Structures are given as C-alpha cells and as structure tokens.
Amino acid sequence: EPEVTQTPSHQVTQMGQEVILRCVPISNHLYFYWYRQILGQKVEFLVSFYNNEISEKSEIFDDQFSVERPDGSNFTLKIRSTKLEDSAMYFCASNPSTDTQYFGPGTRLTVL
Amino acid sequence: QKEVEQNSGPLSVPEGAIASLNCTYSDRGSQSFFWYRQYSGKSPELIMSIYSNGDKEDGRFTAQLNKASQYVSLLIRDSQPSDSATYLCAVNGGSNYKLTFGKGTLLTVNP
C-alpha cells in the first residue's frame, strides 16, 4: 500500500541554522500539507500546497518558512533560521482531492 | 478561530469495556469529521471518517455525529490494551481540505 515517507526521522540543529525537511507524498495525490506538533500540544496546520503553489497558510507559517515541490515527487519544508520554539514533530500529509489525508511518519526537529 | 475541543483525559477503561470519546467543534460550516489514533511519538493514523448525522460503524469502532449539537463521538467496543493511545478528533470545513485538530484524549485500556 502506498504511503507518505519523510526524511530525516530526526534532525538536530543549532539555533539560527537552516533546515530542510523532506517528504515524498503518495504519487497520485494532488494536495500536500505540512503540520507540526509541539510536544504535548495539538497537531497544527502550517500550509497546504496545490497545483504547484501554496493554497493556504496559517499564522504560524511566517517568512522563515517556505515550501517547494522541486520535482514530481518531493515536497520540502524549509525553515530559514531556526528558533528554539521550532522544536516539534513535523508531519507531511497528502490527499487525492478527497477529505482523507494520509500522514507521513514525521520528522522530529530539535533546535539547540 | 475554529476550535475543536476534547477532554484530554486520561480515560481509563478495563479490557473488554466500551470506551467513549467525545469532541465538540465551533464551526457550524464544518462538513467532514475524522478520528485519528496517535501512539506516542508516532504520526496520526486515520480510524474513522463521518460526514452525515447519525452513526457509522467499522468493526469495533462507531463514530457518531450530531451537527445540530456540533458534537462528534467515537465508541470503541471490546477495548484492547493495544487501543491505548491518544485519540484525535479532526474537522474539515474549509477549502483545501485542511484539518483542524483537537488536543486529543489519552485512552488507557487496562488488562
């Protein structure tokens, strides 16, 4: 069964450094998302991506964040200058233009 | 601000019992409702979706939706220790199919 994959599973970085989190959505899906979950808190929507552009973003998704779909398979989230409060699990999800979203296993980002 | 509220728990039930999980949402325009299960340190895993008022059954799981009361519930029959996890209620009412999650209810099933 196809699944969403994410790399790396765990990323440790120093404050102020740039990180890129990578996702491979399910191949025939059309909508792509990034969510984050700070430890002990709820899963929060960051951004949705459709037809090669951002379709919606939350207040969290400020200028330090960007997303790209550099080729036909990868979907990336870049954080330009990481802060301590960016430490969280980041989940990629995709859907085939239905309501059902399929989540990847997540990347744990630790900012020191 | 669209909100999804859940009792954080923990909810503790004995093995074989029925576990009842509840969720309320603030946006009356919400159209689709989901229950996800999340084990510690893992990603959300879809259990059930429900779109219309009433009950929807899938194996040991039953989702219930009452749009007038803005209320969604999940019943787990014959609870097993492997059901011990955090259960997330999620709602989708807008464009782009984005999900708004509740904080989740921690369920513990005791052998």
mmCIF file with all atom_site columns, all heavy atoms in Angstrom, chain A residues 59-79:
data_model
loop_
_atom_site.group_PDB
_atom_site.id
_atom_site.type_symbol
_atom_site.label_atom_id
_atom_site.label_alt_id
_atom_site.label_comp_id
_atom_site.label_asym_id
_atom_site.label_entity_id
_atom_site.label_seq_id
_atom_site.pdbx_PDB_ins_code
_atom_site.Cartn_x
_atom_site.Cartn_y
_atom_site.Cartn_z
_atom_site.occupancy
_atom_site.B_iso_or_equiv
_atom_site.pdbx_formal_charge
_atom_site.auth_seq_id
_atom_site.auth_comp_id
_atom_site.auth_asym_id
_atom_site.auth_atom_id
_atom_site.pdbx_PDB_model_num
ATOM 1   N N   . GLU A 1 59 ? -1.153 31.269 10.436 1.00 0.00 ? 59 GLU A N   1
ATOM 2   C CA  . GLU A 1 59 ? -0.391 32.374 11.036 1.00 0.00 ? 59 GLU A CA  1
ATOM 3   C C   . GLU A 1 59 ? 1.002  31.932 11.437 1.00 0.00 ? 59 GLU A C   1
ATOM 4   O O   . GLU A 1 59 ? 1.921  32.742 11.516 1.00 0.00 ? 59 GLU A O   1
ATOM 5   C CB  . GLU A 1 59 ? -1.132 32.894 12.264 1.00 0.00 ? 59 GLU A CB  1
ATOM 6   C CG  . GLU A 1 59 ? -2.458 33.553 11.952 1.00 0.00 ? 59 GLU A CG  1
ATOM 7   C CD  . GLU A 1 59 ? -3.213 33.932 13.208 1.00 0.00 ? 59 GLU A CD  1
ATOM 8   O OE1 . GLU A 1 59 ? -2.782 33.544 14.311 1.00 0.00 ? 59 GLU A OE1 1
ATOM 9   O OE2 . GLU A 1 59 ? -4.243 34.611 13.093 1.00 0.00 ? 59 GLU A OE2 1
ATOM 10  N N   . ILE A 1 60 ? 1.153  30.657 11.719 1.00 0.00 ? 60 ILE A N   1
ATOM 11  C CA  . ILE A 1 60 ? 2.459  30.131 12.120 1.00 0.00 ? 60 ILE A CA  1
ATOM 12  C C   . ILE A 1 60 ? 3.442  30.208 10.959 1.00 0.00 ? 60 ILE A C   1
ATOM 13  O O   . ILE A 1 60 ? 4.636  30.428 11.143 1.00 0.00 ? 60 ILE A O   1
ATOM 14  C CB  . ILE A 1 60 ? 2.337  28.657 12.576 1.00 0.00 ? 60 ILE A CB  1
ATOM 15  C CG1 . ILE A 1 60 ? 1.333  28.517 13.713 1.00 0.00 ? 60 ILE A CG1 1
ATOM 16  C CG2 . ILE A 1 60 ? 3.683  28.099 12.970 1.00 0.00 ? 60 ILE A CG2 1
ATOM 17  C CD1 . ILE A 1 60 ? 0.952  27.079 13.997 1.00 0.00 ? 60 ILE A CD1 1
ATOM 18  N N   . PHE A 1 61 ? 2.951  30.036 9.784  1.00 0.00 ? 61 PHE A N   1
ATOM 19  C CA  . PHE A 1 61 ? 3.780  29.937 8.569  1.00 0.00 ? 61 PHE A CA  1
ATOM 20  C C   . PHE A 1 61 ? 4.212  31.336 8.152  1.00 0.00 ? 61 PHE A C   1
ATOM 21  O O   . PHE A 1 61 ? 3.645  31.939 7.243  1.00 0.00 ? 61 PHE A O   1
ATOM 22  C CB  . PHE A 1 61 ? 2.991  29.248 7.460  1.00 0.00 ? 61 PHE A CB  1
ATOM 23  C CG  . PHE A 1 61 ? 3.839  28.791 6.305  1.00 0.00 ? 61 PHE A CG  1
ATOM 24  C CD1 . PHE A 1 61 ? 4.425  27.539 6.323  1.00 0.00 ? 61 PHE A CD1 1
ATOM 25  C CD2 . PHE A 1 61 ? 4.040  29.598 5.195  1.00 0.00 ? 61 PHE A CD2 1
ATOM 26  C CE1 . PHE A 1 61 ? 5.198  27.107 5.251  1.00 0.00 ? 61 PHE A CE1 1
ATOM 27  C CE2 . PHE A 1 61 ? 4.812  29.179 4.123  1.00 0.00 ? 61 PHE A CE2 1
ATOM 28  C CZ  . PHE A 1 61 ? 5.385  27.923 4.154  1.00 0.00 ? 61 PHE A CZ  1
ATOM 29  N N   . ASP A 1 62 ? 5.224  31.859 8.852  1.00 0.00 ? 62 ASP A N   1
ATOM 30  C CA  . ASP A 1 62 ? 5.684  33.212 8.557  1.00 0.00 ? 62 ASP A CA  1
ATOM 31  C C   . ASP A 1 62 ? 6.847  33.169 7.550  1.00 0.00 ? 62 ASP A C   1
ATOM 32  O O   . ASP A 1 62 ? 7.102  32.130 6.936  1.00 0.00 ? 62 ASP A O   1
ATOM 33  C CB  . ASP A 1 62 ? 6.068  33.931 9.853  1.00 0.00 ? 62 ASP A CB  1
ATOM 34  C CG  . ASP A 1 62 ? 7.194  33.234 10.602 1.00 0.00 ? 62 ASP A CG  1
ATOM 35  O OD1 . ASP A 1 62 ? 7.943  32.470 9.975  1.00 0.00 ? 62 ASP A OD1 1
ATOM 36  O OD2 . ASP A 1 62 ? 7.317  33.463 11.820 1.00 0.00 ? 62 ASP A OD2 1
ATOM 37  N N   . ASP A 1 63 ? 7.523  34.279 7.413  1.00 0.00 ? 63 ASP A N   1
ATOM 38  C CA  . ASP A 1 63 ? 8.537  34.409 6.364  1.00 0.00 ? 63 ASP A CA  1
ATOM 39  C C   . ASP A 1 63 ? 9.727  33.474 6.532  1.00 0.00 ? 63 ASP A C   1
ATOM 40  O O   . ASP A 1 63 ? 10.517 33.312 5.605  1.00 0.00 ? 63 ASP A O   1
ATOM 41  C CB  . ASP A 1 63 ? 9.041  35.855 6.314  1.00 0.00 ? 63 ASP A CB  1
ATOM 42  C CG  . ASP A 1 63 ? 7.987  36.801 5.789  1.00 0.00 ? 63 ASP A CG  1
ATOM 43  O OD1 . ASP A 1 63 ? 6.992  36.299 5.210  1.00 0.00 ? 63 ASP A OD1 1
ATOM 44  O OD2 . ASP A 1 63 ? 8.144  38.019 5.956  1.00 0.00 ? 63 ASP A OD2 1
ATOM 45  N N   . GLN A 1 64 ? 9.891  32.883 7.697  1.00 0.00 ? 64 GLN A N   1
ATOM 46  C CA  . GLN A 1 64 ? 11.025 31.980 7.869  1.00 0.00 ? 64 GLN A CA  1
ATOM 47  C C   . GLN A 1 64 ? 10.731 30.594 7.284  1.00 0.00 ? 64 GLN A C   1
ATOM 48  O O   . GLN A 1 64 ? 11.621 29.771 7.170  1.00 0.00 ? 64 GLN A O   1
ATOM 49  C CB  . GLN A 1 64 ? 11.407 31.854 9.339  1.00 0.00 ? 64 GLN A CB  1
ATOM 50  C CG  . GLN A 1 64 ? 10.415 31.101 10.195 1.00 0.00 ? 64 GLN A CG  1
ATOM 51  C CD  . GLN A 1 64 ? 11.042 30.592 11.489 1.00 0.00 ? 64 GLN A CD  1
ATOM 52  O OE1 . GLN A 1 64 ? 12.260 30.499 11.621 1.00 0.00 ? 64 GLN A OE1 1
ATOM 53  N NE2 . GLN A 1 64 ? 10.212 30.253 12.465 1.00 0.00 ? 64 GLN A NE2 1
ATOM 54  N N   . PHE A 1 65 ? 9.483  30.350 6.940  1.00 0.00 ? 65 PHE A N   1
ATOM 55  C CA  . PHE A 1 65 ? 9.098  29.063 6.374  1.00 0.00 ? 65 PHE A CA  1
ATOM 56  C C   . PHE A 1 65 ? 8.910  29.192 4.859  1.00 0.00 ? 65 PHE A C   1
ATOM 57  O O   . PHE A 1 65 ? 8.443  30.227 4.363  1.00 0.00 ? 65 PHE A O   1
ATOM 58  C CB  . PHE A 1 65 ? 7.773  28.578 6.968  1.00 0.00 ? 65 PHE A CB  1
ATOM 59  C CG  . PHE A 1 65 ? 7.836  28.172 8.408  1.00 0.00 ? 65 PHE A CG  1
ATOM 60  C CD1 . PHE A 1 65 ? 7.515  29.084 9.405  1.00 0.00 ? 65 PHE A CD1 1
ATOM 61  C CD2 . PHE A 1 65 ? 8.200  26.890 8.779  1.00 0.00 ? 65 PHE A CD2 1
ATOM 62  C CE1 . PHE A 1 65 ? 7.557  28.726 10.742 1.00 0.00 ? 65 PHE A CE1 1
ATOM 63  C CE2 . PHE A 1 65 ? 8.241  26.517 10.104 1.00 0.00 ? 65 PHE A CE2 1
ATOM 64  C CZ  . PHE A 1 65 ? 7.915  27.437 11.094 1.00 0.00 ? 65 PHE A CZ  1
ATOM 65  N N   . SER A 1 66 ? 9.235  28.135 4.143  1.00 0.00 ? 66 SER A N   1
ATOM 66  C CA  . SER A 1 66 ? 8.900  28.069 2.731  1.00 0.00 ? 66 SER A CA  1
ATOM 67  C C   . SER A 1 66 ? 8.708  26.604 2.344  1.00 0.00 ? 66 SER A C   1
ATOM 68  O O   . SER A 1 66 ? 9.203  25.704 3.027  1.00 0.00 ? 66 SER A O   1
ATOM 69  C CB  . SER A 1 66 ? 9.982  28.709 1.859  1.00 0.00 ? 66 SER A CB  1
ATOM 70  O OG  . SER A 1 66 ? 11.207 28.022 1.991  1.00 0.00 ? 66 SER A OG  1
ATOM 71  N N   . VAL A 1 67 ? 7.942  26.388 1.289  1.00 0.00 ? 67 VAL A N   1
ATOM 72  C CA  . VAL A 1 67 ? 7.719  25.038 0.789  1.00 0.00 ? 67 VAL A CA  1
ATOM 73  C C   . VAL A 1 67 ? 8.030  25.019 -0.693 1.00 0.00 ? 67 VAL A C   1
ATOM 74  O O   . VAL A 1 67 ? 7.890  26.021 -1.400 1.00 0.00 ? 67 VAL A O   1
ATOM 75  C CB  . VAL A 1 67 ? 6.276  24.533 1.030  1.00 0.00 ? 67 VAL A CB  1
ATOM 76  C CG1 . VAL A 1 67 ? 6.040  24.263 2.507  1.00 0.00 ? 67 VAL A CG1 1
ATOM 77  C CG2 . VAL A 1 67 ? 5.245  25.505 0.475  1.00 0.00 ? 67 VAL A CG2 1
ATOM 78  N N   . GLU A 1 68 ? 8.429  23.832 -1.133 1.00 0.00 ? 68 GLU A N   1
ATOM 79  C CA  . GLU A 1 68 ? 8.735  23.641 -2.548 1.00 0.00 ? 68 GLU A CA  1
ATOM 80  C C   . GLU A 1 68 ? 8.371  22.232 -2.962 1.00 0.00 ? 68 GLU A C   1
ATOM 81  O O   . GLU A 1 68 ? 8.394  21.313 -2.147 1.00 0.00 ? 68 GLU A O   1
ATOM 82  C CB  . GLU A 1 68 ? 10.247 23.809 -2.786 1.00 0.00 ? 68 GLU A CB  1
ATOM 83  C CG  . GLU A 1 68 ? 10.699 25.181 -3.107 1.00 0.00 ? 68 GLU A CG  1
ATOM 84  C CD  . GLU A 1 68 ? 12.135 25.194 -3.621 1.00 0.00 ? 68 GLU A CD  1
ATOM 85  O OE1 . GLU A 1 68 ? 12.883 24.248 -3.341 1.00 0.00 ? 68 GLU A OE1 1
ATOM 86  O OE2 . GLU A 1 68 ? 12.483 26.167 -4.305 1.00 0.00 ? 68 GLU A OE2 1
ATOM 87  N N   . ARG A 1 69 ? 8.062  22.109 -4.229 1.00 0.00 ? 69 ARG A N   1
ATOM 88  C CA  . ARG A 1 69 ? 7.933  20.791 -4.828 1.00 0.00 ? 69 ARG A CA  1
ATOM 89  C C   . ARG A 1 69 ? 8.934  20.788 -5.993 1.00 0.00 ? 69 ARG A C   1
ATOM 90  O O   . ARG A 1 69 ? 8.577  21.081 -7.140 1.00 0.00 ? 69 ARG A O   1
ATOM 91  C CB  . ARG A 1 69 ? 6.515  20.555 -5.295 1.00 0.00 ? 69 ARG A CB  1
ATOM 92  C CG  . ARG A 1 69 ? 6.231  19.141 -5.721 1.00 0.00 ? 69 ARG A CG  1
ATOM 93  C CD  . ARG A 1 69 ? 4.745  18.869 -5.637 1.00 0.00 ? 69 ARG A CD  1
ATOM 94  N NE  . ARG A 1 69 ? 4.334  17.738 -6.440 1.00 0.00 ? 69 ARG A NE  1
ATOM 95  C CZ  . ARG A 1 69 ? 4.465  16.468 -6.081 1.00 0.00 ? 69 ARG A CZ  1
ATOM 96  N NH1 . ARG A 1 69 ? 5.010  16.175 -4.933 1.00 0.00 ? 69 ARG A NH1 1
ATOM 97  N NH2 . ARG A 1 69 ? 4.054  15.506 -6.861 1.00 0.00 ? 69 ARG A NH2 1
ATOM 98  N N   . PRO A 1 70 ? 10.187 20.514 -5.688 1.00 0.00 ? 70 PRO A N   1
ATOM 99  C CA  . PRO A 1 70 ? 11.260 20.724 -6.666 1.00 0.00 ? 70 PRO A CA  1
ATOM 100 C C   . PRO A 1 70 ? 11.213 19.784 -7.863 1.00 0.00 ? 70 PRO A C   1
ATOM 101 O O   . PRO A 1 70 ? 11.761 20.101 -8.905 1.00 0.00 ? 70 PRO A O   1
ATOM 102 C CB  . PRO A 1 70 ? 12.528 20.500 -5.837 1.00 0.00 ? 70 PRO A CB  1
ATOM 103 C CG  . PRO A 1 70 ? 12.106 19.643 -4.703 1.00 0.00 ? 70 PRO A CG  1
ATOM 104 C CD  . PRO A 1 70 ? 10.699 20.031 -4.400 1.00 0.00 ? 70 PRO A CD  1
ATOM 105 N N   . ASP A 1 71 ? 10.555 18.643 -7.694 1.00 0.00 ? 71 ASP A N   1
ATOM 106 C CA  . ASP A 1 71 ? 10.411 17.709 -8.817 1.00 0.00 ? 71 ASP A CA  1
ATOM 107 C C   . ASP A 1 71 ? 9.048  17.061 -8.683 1.00 0.00 ? 71 ASP A C   1
ATOM 108 O O   . ASP A 1 71 ? 8.219  17.500 -7.898 1.00 0.00 ? 71 ASP A O   1
ATOM 109 C CB  . ASP A 1 71 ? 11.558 16.688 -8.809 1.00 0.00 ? 71 ASP A CB  1
ATOM 110 C CG  . ASP A 1 71 ? 11.687 15.991 -7.469 1.00 0.00 ? 71 ASP A CG  1
ATOM 111 O OD1 . ASP A 1 71 ? 10.632 15.639 -6.874 1.00 0.00 ? 71 ASP A OD1 1
ATOM 112 O OD2 . ASP A 1 71 ? 12.811 15.806 -7.005 1.00 0.00 ? 71 ASP A OD2 1
ATOM 113 N N   . GLY A 1 72 ? 8.818  15.998 -9.428 1.00 0.00 ? 72 GLY A N   1
ATOM 114 C CA  . GLY A 1 72 ? 7.482  15.413 -9.410 1.00 0.00 ? 72 GLY A CA  1
ATOM 115 C C   . GLY A 1 72 ? 7.146  14.594 -8.191 1.00 0.00 ? 72 GLY A C   1
ATOM 116 O O   . GLY A 1 72 ? 6.009  14.186 -8.020 1.00 0.00 ? 72 GLY A O   1
ATOM 117 N N   . SER A 1 73 ? 8.132  14.398 -7.300 1.00 0.00 ? 73 SER A N   1
ATOM 118 C CA  . SER A 1 73 ? 7.854  13.511 -6.184 1.00 0.00 ? 73 SER A CA  1
ATOM 119 C C   . SER A 1 73 ? 8.093  14.149 -4.817 1.00 0.00 ? 73 SER A C   1
ATOM 120 O O   . SER A 1 73 ? 7.335  13.897 -3.886 1.00 0.00 ? 73 SER A O   1
ATOM 121 C CB  . SER A 1 73 ? 8.687  12.228 -6.307 1.00 0.00 ? 73 SER A CB  1
ATOM 122 O OG  . SER A 1 73 ? 10.065 12.535 -6.337 1.00 0.00 ? 73 SER A OG  1
ATOM 123 N N   . ASN A 1 74 ? 9.114  14.972 -4.679 1.00 0.00 ? 74 ASN A N   1
ATOM 124 C CA  . ASN A 1 74 ? 9.441  15.506 -3.362 1.00 0.00 ? 74 ASN A CA  1
ATOM 125 C C   . ASN A 1 74 ? 8.645  16.751 -3.016 1.00 0.00 ? 74 ASN A C   1
ATOM 126 O O   . ASN A 1 74 ? 8.253  17.526 -3.896 1.00 0.00 ? 74 ASN A O   1
ATOM 127 C CB  . ASN A 1 74 ? 10.937 15.834 -3.299 1.00 0.00 ? 74 ASN A CB  1
ATOM 128 C CG  . ASN A 1 74 ? 11.786 14.585 -3.303 1.00 0.00 ? 74 ASN A CG  1
ATOM 129 O OD1 . ASN A 1 74 ? 11.885 13.888 -2.326 1.00 0.00 ? 74 ASN A OD1 1
ATOM 130 N ND2 . ASN A 1 74 ? 12.394 14.309 -4.458 1.00 0.00 ? 74 ASN A ND2 1
ATOM 131 N N   . PHE A 1 75 ? 8.440  16.944 -1.710 1.00 0.00 ? 75 PHE A N   1
ATOM 132 C CA  . PHE A 1 75 ? 7.763  18.126 -1.188 1.00 0.00 ? 75 PHE A CA  1
ATOM 133 C C   . PHE A 1 75 ? 8.547  18.531 0.056  1.00 0.00 ? 75 PHE A C   1
ATOM 134 O O   . PHE A 1 75 ? 8.710  17.721 0.968  1.00 0.00 ? 75 PHE A O   1
ATOM 135 C CB  . PHE A 1 75 ? 6.317  17.766 -0.859 1.00 0.00 ? 75 PHE A CB  1
ATOM 136 C CG  . PHE A 1 75 ? 5.484  18.876 -0.289 1.00 0.00 ? 75 PHE A CG  1
ATOM 137 C CD1 . PHE A 1 75 ? 5.434  20.124 -0.895 1.00 0.00 ? 75 PHE A CD1 1
ATOM 138 C CD2 . PHE A 1 75 ? 4.710  18.667 0.840  1.00 0.00 ? 75 PHE A CD2 1
ATOM 139 C CE1 . PHE A 1 75 ? 4.650  21.142 -0.377 1.00 0.00 ? 75 PHE A CE1 1
ATOM 140 C CE2 . PHE A 1 75 ? 3.917  19.674 1.367  1.00 0.00 ? 75 PHE A CE2 1
ATOM 141 C CZ  . PHE A 1 75 ? 3.889  20.911 0.756  1.00 0.00 ? 75 PHE A CZ  1
ATOM 142 N N   . THR A 1 76 ? 9.102  19.740 0.056  1.00 0.00 ? 76 THR A N   1
ATOM 143 C CA  . THR A 1 76 ? 10.009 20.117 1.141  1.00 0.00 ? 76 THR A CA  1
ATOM 144 C C   . THR A 1 76 ? 9.476  21.293 1.948  1.00 0.00 ? 76 THR A C   1
ATOM 145 O O   . THR A 1 76 ? 8.751  22.155 1.426  1.00 0.00 ? 76 THR A O   1
ATOM 146 C CB  . THR A 1 76 ? 11.397 20.486 0.600  1.00 0.00 ? 76 THR A CB  1
ATOM 147 O OG1 . THR A 1 76 ? 11.280 21.627 -0.248 1.00 0.00 ? 76 THR A OG1 1
ATOM 148 C CG2 . THR A 1 76 ? 12.007 19.324 -0.181 1.00 0.00 ? 76 THR A CG2 1
ATOM 149 N N   . LEU A 1 77 ? 9.869  21.305 3.209  1.00 0.00 ? 77 LEU A N   1
ATOM 150 C CA  . LEU A 1 77 ? 9.617  22.435 4.099  1.00 0.00 ? 77 LEU A CA  1
ATOM 151 C C   . LEU A 1 77 ? 10.972 22.961 4.548  1.00 0.00 ? 77 LEU A C   1
ATOM 152 O O   . LEU A 1 77 ? 11.771 22.212 5.099  1.00 0.00 ? 77 LEU A O   1
ATOM 153 C CB  . LEU A 1 77 ? 8.800  21.996 5.311  1.00 0.00 ? 77 LEU A CB  1
ATOM 154 C CG  . LEU A 1 77 ? 8.577  23.056 6.404  1.00 0.00 ? 77 LEU A CG  1
ATOM 155 C CD1 . LEU A 1 77 ? 7.658  24.160 5.905  1.00 0.00 ? 77 LEU A CD1 1
ATOM 156 C CD2 . LEU A 1 77 ? 7.992  22.420 7.670  1.00 0.00 ? 77 LEU A CD2 1
ATOM 157 N N   . LYS A 1 78 ? 11.209 24.234 4.289  1.00 0.00 ? 78 LYS A N   1
ATOM 158 C CA  . LYS A 1 78 ? 12.460 24.860 4.709  1.00 0.00 ? 78 LYS A CA  1
ATOM 159 C C   . LYS A 1 78 ? 12.175 25.844 5.839  1.00 0.00 ? 78 LYS A C   1
ATOM 160 O O   . LYS A 1 78 ? 11.229 26.650 5.741  1.00 0.00 ? 78 LYS A O   1
ATOM 161 C CB  . LYS A 1 78 ? 13.119 25.589 3.540  1.00 0.00 ? 78 LYS A CB  1
ATOM 162 C CG  . LYS A 1 78 ? 14.453 26.238 3.907  1.00 0.00 ? 78 LYS A CG  1
ATOM 163 C CD  . LYS A 1 78 ? 14.954 27.185 2.835  1.00 0.00 ? 78 LYS A CD  1
ATOM 164 C CE  . LYS A 1 78 ? 15.378 26.504 1.585  1.00 0.00 ? 78 LYS A CE  1
ATOM 165 N NZ  . LYS A 1 78 ? 16.013 27.425 0.605  1.00 0.00 ? 78 LYS A NZ  1
ATOM 166 N N   . ILE A 1 79 ? 12.992 25.770 6.854  1.00 0.00 ? 79 ILE A N   1
ATOM 167 C CA  . ILE A 1 79 ? 12.951 26.771 7.920  1.00 0.00 ? 79 ILE A CA  1
ATOM 168 C C   . ILE A 1 79 ? 14.272 27.503 7.848  1.00 0.00 ? 79 ILE A C   1
ATOM 169 O O   . ILE A 1 79 ? 15.333 26.894 8.031  1.00 0.00 ? 79 ILE A O   1
ATOM 170 C CB  . ILE A 1 79 ? 12.744 26.140 9.310  1.00 0.00 ? 79 ILE A CB  1
ATOM 171 C CG1 . ILE A 1 79 ? 11.559 25.179 9.301  1.00 0.00 ? 79 ILE A CG1 1
ATOM 172 C CG2 . ILE A 1 79 ? 12.521 27.229 10.352 1.00 0.00 ? 79 ILE A CG2 1
ATOM 173 C CD1 . ILE A 1 79 ? 11.352 24.415 10.604 1.00 0.00 ? 79 ILE A CD1 1
#
